Structures are given as structure tokens and as C-alpha cells.
Amino acid sequence: MSLKFGTSGLRGLSTDLNGPAAAIYATAFAHYLMSSGQAKPGDPVLLGRDFRASSPDISAICAGALTRAGLTVLDCGPVPTPALALYGLEKRAAALMITGSHIPADRNGIKFYRPDGEIAKADEEAISTLATGLMAKPAGIDAMPGPAADHARQAEALFLARNTAILPAGALNGLKIGVYQHSTVARDLFIEVLAHYGAKVVALGRSVDFIPVDTEAVSQATIDRLKAWTAKHKLDAIVSADGDGDRPLVSDETGLPLRGDLLGLIAAQFVGASVAVTPVTSNSGLERQPDLSILRTRVGSPFVIEGMLKAVADGQTGVVGFEANGGTLTATDFTLNGTTLKALPTRDSFLPALAVLFLAARSHKPLSVLAAGFALPVALSDRIENFPLETSAALMRYLRSGADNLATFLAPIGTPESVSDIDGLRVTLMDRSVVHLRPSGNAPEMRCYAEAETADQAKRLLEQGLKCIRAFGQHYGSR
């Protein structure tokens, strides 16, 4: 099986997961919960899923395995991951989300939640060890589906209540907002929440087939659709999310998507945070923002959560986290609109989307003007798909093996000034532009990030970075 834990959960081909593997990992999770004292026989465990074709079958297999392991399964149906996590915290129950997030439809995965929130890297290691042991059993693991009580309405209602209390009544009056529905499980909730605040909402692009939307590297085809829709319907913004609804996509009035880390920054300022934890891939201009301390981590929500918990343990108050994909996490409670927004330490697409739309409504300024006002360096990213893991590993070994190798590789781009090795290689060049090379944590992809003072410079830097990666891959593959 080609299944592995990456930056957020277990991922692999759906054909590998849909069968005994799903039962093995669900059983391993149940055994881990009970052996570590986080659950006992009969306790509830939640199941959610996205709209991928393979997700219902994988969910049913997990339900059977969890039931046979002694837990009581509550089926929350197709639901955003943050809604499932919130319901889990409310019921103090562990949870599994069947989703491949933004990756292609032929892949899928499982996100795991303890009763107190998203699992950490140490939990992943323990679950993997137990799963390996189960795979070695001669009798194998039963992959038959099992029963689950329907709790979809309860999970959705709790999340809806949270998001309809964040802003004042009528906060989005006067805005005309499109919702790119595609196949995200957040599509109907977004429409309901935005309409609740008085926005005129236009539903766009609903799809029966699963469409992978990567909010950190929005495809040109998607951008073209967003631009066409904003022009046709005279929209102030378009809102969407990835497959499981934990990463936001917000475009301005021209259809151009806003950077995810900008959405996270706006959300942090909206709630009044004093500390923001974010990966090294987020915009380097964040450190120039007033009244907000930035703490950097490796890429992946487990690392952001670890950083947030450390900040809280160190006595910090008003702690949030966000990633370059826009997913925003809260480690502490905040008071908004006279109510308490409880901590939700998992990625959420709704808070940052509402924060930026509220800022636009309150300031009476277009989103493009608001975005430009933050004066962040222009940051772009893209990925090379179907880039073998072996090749990306070889590239990183080569670049890390000496300054001469790195300089030779980057010669067509610029001269390195400094290097960060927190996650991948983030190189600041002599002209202060940045190129960051990083293998995906859970897919055969190589990512490239670029920062520069102008859009043309950033685009050129990104294109050159991708060209250098492809050239290495072709050379390595021809050996």
C-alpha cells in the first residue's frame, strides 16, 4: 500500500485505501485511543466525509472497523472538516474525516482527531506502528461495512450557529458575493451563512463530479472561471474552499484570488490576535505587520498546532495560526460581536472568508484595494505534479550537500544570500527576492514558491524555479 501520513492526515490512492487498509487504520486508531486512555469501549467516535466517489465506501468500512473495535460510530455525513472537529470538541469524541482535501479525485485520505482536537506527529507515529502490526496478522482485518447513527444535522447546526454569530446582523448588506460551489462540502453552508449576513449570493459552478481545488496554487483554468463570473455577475467577491472545506478561496472583484496568508493575516487582525503561528512558506512580509508577533513552523497543521500550544503554554494570549493555503486555526477563545468564539485548533475556511468580507463591507473598499494596502511582497506558488518522490528526495539531497550545488542550481535565477532549512529550502537571493523549493508531504509533487517586489518579477522567478526543477527531474530520470 502506498499510504503515508503527510502534512495533514493519511493520504494515498483511493484504490489502496478503499478496502482492508481503511479498516486497518481505523482499527489502529481505535486501539490507540483506548490504550492511551483517550476513549473506552462504547464511547462515541465521529465520521465525516467529502464528496469524492470513494469516500462513502471508505467511510462505511471505517464505521464497521470502529464498531468491531468497541466504539459507537456517529455518522456526520458530508461535512466540512472544521464542522466535524467542532462537533468532536463539543461531544468530547474522537473523529475521522474521509477526505483527500485538494488532491486529485483518484486519491483519498483520512484525517484523525482525538477528543481534544487534531492529532500530532507523535500520534501519527503510534497509529502507524499499530497499523503495521495489524497488517502482519495472518487472519487479516475484516473490511465489512458497519452501522452508524445519523448525526449530520447536529454537526451542521453547531457549525452554522458558530458562523452566524461572528459578525453583526446585516454585516454584509450591499455586497454581491459569488459562491464557487464545485464539489466542496462547504458549498451550501457558505450560501446560508453569507445570506444570513445580508449579502446577495450567486451560486456558481456546482459539480456532481469531484473537482480538486488547491487554494495555495489556484490553477489558471480556475482563475479564468472566477474572472468570467465576476465580470458577468458584477460580483464584489467570490468565495469557495477545497474539497473538505478547511482551506478558503476568496477572489477580489476582478476574480483574482487573494493569497491565503493574507486571508489568515486579516483573520488574525479581525479577532484581535497578538500571536500568529504560520509555516515558513507564508509571506515574509508578515513580520512587518504591526501589533502581531509571527512564529514560524514547518509546513502542516500539526506543526502549526504544536507552535500554538507552545505559545499558550508560554503564557501568550490571543493566539491564532494560519497556513499559506488560508486555513485559519484558533488556539484561544476570542470575544466577537459580544459572544465567545471558542478555540478551534484546526484549519477553518469560514473565519478568514468572513473576516475579509466584513473588512470590505465596513471600509466600503474593493478587495483589490484592501489587499494592496497591506503592501506585502508579491508571492506566487505552483507545483509540478507527477514528480516522483524519489526524484524530489534526490533533488533535496543534492541541494543540501553543499553551497556550490545550490549556487549552480540557482545560477539561472540569482545568487543566494541566505538559506532557511526549516521545511524544504527557502533561499533569499541577493536582490531580496525569495525562491522556496519544497517536496509535497503527501503526494508525488514538487512545490515552488516565489516572492518579489512586483508581480512580473515574482512570476518570472516562479517560472524559472519550476524550469530548474523540471530540468533536474529530466536529467535524473534519464540516468
Side-chain angles (χ1 to χ4, degrees):
M1 293 183 294
S2 58
L3 301 171
K4 60 177 291 188
F5 281 98
T7 54
S8 181
L10 184 75
R11 298 275 177 84
L13 292 170
S14 58
T15 51
D16 287 342
L17 186 58
N18 192 357
I24 286 170
Y25 276 96
T27 303
F29 184 49
H31 289 177
Y32 173 64
L33 291 170
M34 290 190 277
S35 65
S36 60
Q38 298 180 71
K40 61 184 184 301
D43 278 356
V45 59
L46 312 181
L47 263 178
R49 62 182 181 272
D50 66 15
F51 284 129
R52 291 167 190 270
S54 61
S55 291
D57 288 344
I58 294 171
S59 180
I61 291 170
C62 288
L66 294 166
T67 300
R68 288 186 290 276
L71 298 175
T72 301
V73 181
L74 308 182
D75 182 13
C76 297
V79 64
T81 292
L84 183 74
L86 181 69
Y87 193 47
L89 292 173
E90 176 80 7
K91 295 190 71 66
R92 298 183 180 179
L96 294 84
M97 179 69 183
I98 313 303
T99 180
S101 187
H102 64 283
I103 60 178
D106 65 338
R107 299 174 182 273
N108 214 326
I110 306 176
K111 294 181 179 179
F112 299 87
Y113 287 80
R114 303 178 313 219
D116 62 345
E118 191 172 332
I119 63 172
K121 287 298 178 182
D123 302 311
E124 291 179 357
E125 293 171 5
I127 295 166
S128 293
T129 299
L130 288 168
T132 300
L134 291 170
M135 291 175 197
K137 287 195 171 187
I141 294 293
D142 187 352
M144 290 296 293
D150 185 357
H151 274 241
R153 182 184 59 80
Q154 295 93 319
E156 182 177 293
L158 182 66
F159 193 60
L160 186 62
R162 174 187 178 89
N163 286 290
T164 52
I166 289 177
L167 305 180
L172 302 183
N173 282 343
L175 292 185
K176 188 176 183 182
I177 304 170
V179 174
Y180 176 29
Q181 293 193 300
H182 63 94
S183 50
T184 175
V185 287
R187 58 192 183 187
D188 294 325
L189 280 169
F190 261 133
I191 287 181
E192 191 167 355
V193 169
L194 295 174
H196 168 82
Y197 289 119
K200 183 176 180 180
V201 183
V202 181
L204 304 164
R206 191 179 184 96
S207 174
V208 174
D209 297 326
F210 185 82
I211 299 174
V213 173
D214 186 348
T215 65
E216 193 173 354
V218 184
S219 70
Q220 187 58 51
T222 297
I223 293 174
D224 290 343
R225 296 186 80 185
L226 298 175
K227 288 183 175 181
W229 282 328
T230 54
K232 177 180 178 180
H233 299 285
K234 296 180 172 54
L235 302 173
D236 295 298
I238 294 178
V239 172
S240 189
D242 64 338
D244 65 320
D246 68 348
R247 304 178 180 199
L249 174 61
V250 179
S251 81
D252 65 18
E253 75 286 357
T254 72
L256 186 66
L258 302 185
R259 282 277 305 184
D261 40 24
L262 175 58
L263 297 179
L265 172 61
I266 292 172
Q269 294 179 342
F270 169 70
V271 299
S274 57
V275 177
V277 181
T278 193
V280 66
T281 49
S282 291
N283 197 293
S284 59
L286 295 173
E287 276 80 359
R288 301 201 297 262
Q289 302 304 307
D291 304 319
L292 187 64
S293 176
I294 302 294
L295 303 178
R296 297 282 182 166
T297 72
R298 293 177 62 188
V299 175
S301 53
F303 297 112
V304 174
I305 293 169
E306 180 182 343
M308 292 194 306
L309 293 178
K310 185 179 185 304
V312 172
D314 290 343
Q316 301 281 2
T317 58
V319 179
V320 303
F322 58 84
E323 297 187 275
N325 55 47
T328 302
L329 312 85
T330 51
T332 55
D333 294 349
F334 292 93
T335 300
L336 295 175
N337 191 34
T339 63
T340 298
L341 183 74
K342 291 185 178 180
L344 183 57
T346 196
R347 284 189 304 233
D348 177 22
S349 63
F350 280 71
L351 176 60
L354 290 174
V356 71
L357 293 174
F358 181 57
L359 179 60
R362 185 178 57 186
S363 66
H364 302 289
K365 293 180 179 179
L367 286 183
S368 62
V369 173
L370 291 174
F374 284 89
L376 295 176
V378 178
L380 302 175
S381 65
D382 203 348
R383 68 192 191 277
I384 299 176
E385 297 180 283
N386 300 314
F387 198 85
L389 297 176
E390 177 188 354
T391 306
S392 60
L395 171 59
M396 300 313 292
R397 284 196 304 271
Y398 171 77
L399 296 177
R400 289 186 170 114
S401 63
D404 288 344
N405 285 355
L406 181 62
T408 299
F409 181 84
L410 293 176
I413 301 175
T415 303
E417 180 183 72
S418 61
V419 180
S420 168
D421 202 4
I422 292 177
D423 196 341
L425 287 176
R426 189 173 182 86
V427 184
T428 301
L429 304 175
M430 294 297 291
D431 64 358
R432 309 305 301 162
S433 60
V434 175
V435 61
H436 186 163
L437 311 170
R438 175 183 163 269
S440 172
N442 47 34
E445 300 173 350
M446 190 71 192
R447 290 183 177 269
C448 183
Y449 310 80
E451 279 190 24
E453 287 303 313
T454 70
D456 286 344
Q457 290 171 336
K459 182 180 179 181
R460 184 165 58 251
L461 187 64
L462 178 62
E463 291 173 347
Q464 291 172 329
L466 293 170
K467 183 178 180 180
C468 289
I469 294 170
R470 289 191 182 96
F472 180 91
Q474 291 168 358
H475 174 73
Y476 186 82
S478 65
R479 294 172 56 184

